[in-house]
Amino acid sequence: MIPLSSLEVSIYLFIDEIHKYPDWAKDLKLIYDYHKNLKVVFMGSSVLDIKKGASDLSRRAIIYNMQGLSFREYLKLFHNISSKTYTLQEILQHKVNIPEIERPLLYYADYLKKGYYPFALEQDFDIRLAQIINQTLENDIPMYANMNVATGRKLKQLLAIVSQSAPFKPNMSKIAEMLSVSRNNIADYCLYIEEAGLITQLRDNTGGIRGLGKVDKIYLDNTNLIYNLASDSSNIGNIRETFFLNQTRVKHNVISSADSDFLIENITFEIEGKNKSQKQIKNIENSYVVKDDIETGFLNVIPLWQFGLLY
């Protein structure tokens, strides 16, 4: 039996919503330097504030960015249905098998509307999500970027423009004119909104390095945001592409394709409805048609919902 005195004892301190505490990063730095046996786990819902504070904690803290629920995680949390994660190649090789699900499209349709955020289990999900969006645009981003209140309203206008498109192809000059701001500010606004988790900017491969290419399209970050912000004008094609990009980008570098919708590791993906043909990619090697509203795939036709099992 090992004496208790010979064991190294660690003490844990858990802090939630740490971004609401003034100078939290500096205090955590002091805790780290003066209390070596204290292990701190801190969480915050303001991703921008966490990023700002992380610079004071360099070499001291590991920052994890929590992705929203995948379709697989939604199945477990909302319906207690378990599934393993599948690699991209396993999905493309038709190896997905979830015996507990007879009609995956029923669950998938619900996930698109309210499955990305865990708090959808609570009441008034749509109201709460709208409040979070407003808080992010009117308070979190302006505080992070030292903007005034008027600029925060411009951010709301910009997000409204993106949410009503299918998807949005950015024209910086036109957007600047619509918002009555300098063209040079639009790229910064989009970056702030992206870092806050409200949009995703799809880039091409001109930069050669992930994240450095030219922005080709702008999507809302996930399909729950589409239904919340543009329920009356939501486009089914936009919903399909948003789901695919949102679920695949976690483990893969997704870029725009000159010939189709997306390119992942030299694999071309065309996102379509179940009745569309393969005309657009029929002469492209290593290409797949990702179809909505189908439960099983064949040859190079893959069900869209299965890409929600990647993480």
Side-chain angles (χ1 to χ4, degrees), residues 237-250:
N238 187 26
I239 292 171
R240 291 165 179 159
E241 292 182 30
T242 298
F243 172 80
F244 180 88
L245 177 59
N246 174 266
Q247 300 289 288
T248 56
R249 71 178 183 196
V250 177

Side-chain angles (χ1 to χ4, degrees), residues 131-149:
Q131 291 173 341
I132 291 171
I133 295 169
N134 287 332
Q135 170 72 20
T136 301
L137 296 174
E138 296 178 355
N139 296 285
D140 294 350
I141 295 177
M143 288 182 62
Y144 172 77
N146 296 317
M147 296 175 175
N148 56 35
V149 176

Side-chain angles (χ1 to χ4, degrees), residues 161-181:
I161 293 172
V162 173
S163 66
Q164 293 169 8
S165 306
F168 180 66
K169 284 183 169 290
N171 183 321
M172 298 307 181
S173 297
K174 187 174 181 180
I175 298 172
E177 181 180 349
M178 294 173 66
L179 299 182
S180 299
V181 298

Side-chain angles (χ1 to χ4, degrees), residues 36-54:
K36 298 298 183 181
N37 290 331
L38 181 62
K39 299 184 183 300
V40 181
V41 178
F42 61 93
M43 294 155 282
S45 57
S46 176
V47 62
L48 293 172
D49 197 73
I50 295 296
K51 285 187 176 181
K52 179 181 283 189

